[in-house]
Amino acid sequence: MTEDDLDQVLEIERKSFPQPWLRQHFIDELNFSYAFPLSAFDASGRLLGYICPMQLLDEGHILNVAVNPDDRGAGIGRLLVQKVLDECSSAGASFVSLEVRESNISAIALYLKMGFTEVGKRKRYYENNEDALMMEYIFGNPG
């Protein structure tokens, strides 16, 4: 992801979340030394989705991920999450964690299929007091 991507990123962000990140949030991620935001484009240069992961020491974390609503169900989310797992594994991470809305059934199903496990809950984590499921992918886990 680069600053040139941000207009398209913000459009998807606004379509995806009730409390979308602001441009400055993404700029901060682009400038944070432990973060490595990624974008996925089609052949014409249209943004399909993005992910904002970071890794500090042996801990990876996914802060934000979204796919353009028109492109959901085509494997873009899986591709982005797999790229993060590959990058974190190569950089020596022991695990990758994330939080996901309890109501986001399709994302939870994807994460479970990819080998993430539920490890806890953050009560009233989201703006509407919705709980977040805490999930982890542990490298070397046969799960």
Side-chain angles (χ1 to χ4, degrees), residues 13 16 19 21-22 35 37 56 58 74-75 80 87 89 96 99 117:
E13 180 78 3
S16 300
Q19 296 264 167
W21 280 15
L22 303 173
L56 182 59
D58 71 333
L80 288 164
E87 292 290 325
S89 177
V96 173
E99 291 88 16
T117 56

Side-chain angles (χ1 to χ4, degrees), residues 62-141:
I62 296 172
L63 301 165
N64 190 345
V65 59
V67 173
N68 186 330
D70 296 336
D71 298 300
R72 290 183 185 154
I76 307 302
R78 174 182 287 278
L79 179 83
L80 288 164
V81 172
Q82 188 60 57
K83 180 68 173 167
V84 169
L85 294 176
D86 293 345
E87 292 290 325
C88 287
S89 177
S90 294
S94 298
F95 67 92
V96 173
S97 62
L98 57 82
E99 291 88 16
V100 60
R101 285 178 186 278
E102 208 169 35
S103 64
N104 194 342
I105 303 304
S106 60
I108 293 166
L110 171 65
Y111 300 140
L112 290 171
K113 245 185 247 180
M114 294 185 74
F116 283 80
T117 56
E118 184 180 336
V119 295
K121 205 177 263 199
R122 293 193 192 277
K123 294 287 190 187
R124 298 177 301 283
Y125 185 74
Y126 293 104
E127 69 285 336
N128 64 349
N129 290 326
E130 184 176 359
D131 295 346
L133 296 183
M134 298 164 50
M135 301 186 82
E136 284 184 354
Y137 181 96
I138 299 173
F139 292 103
N141 184 2

Side-chain angles (χ1 to χ4, degrees), residues 8-17 46-50 66-74 76:
Q8 290 185 81
V9 165
L10 289 167
E11 183 179 334
I12 293 173
E13 180 78 3
R14 282 190 295 271
K15 290 177 181 177
S16 300
F17 302 110
R46 185 176 64 86
L47 183 70
L48 302 173
Y50 57 87
V67 173
N68 186 330
D70 296 336
D71 298 300
R72 290 183 185 154
I76 307 302

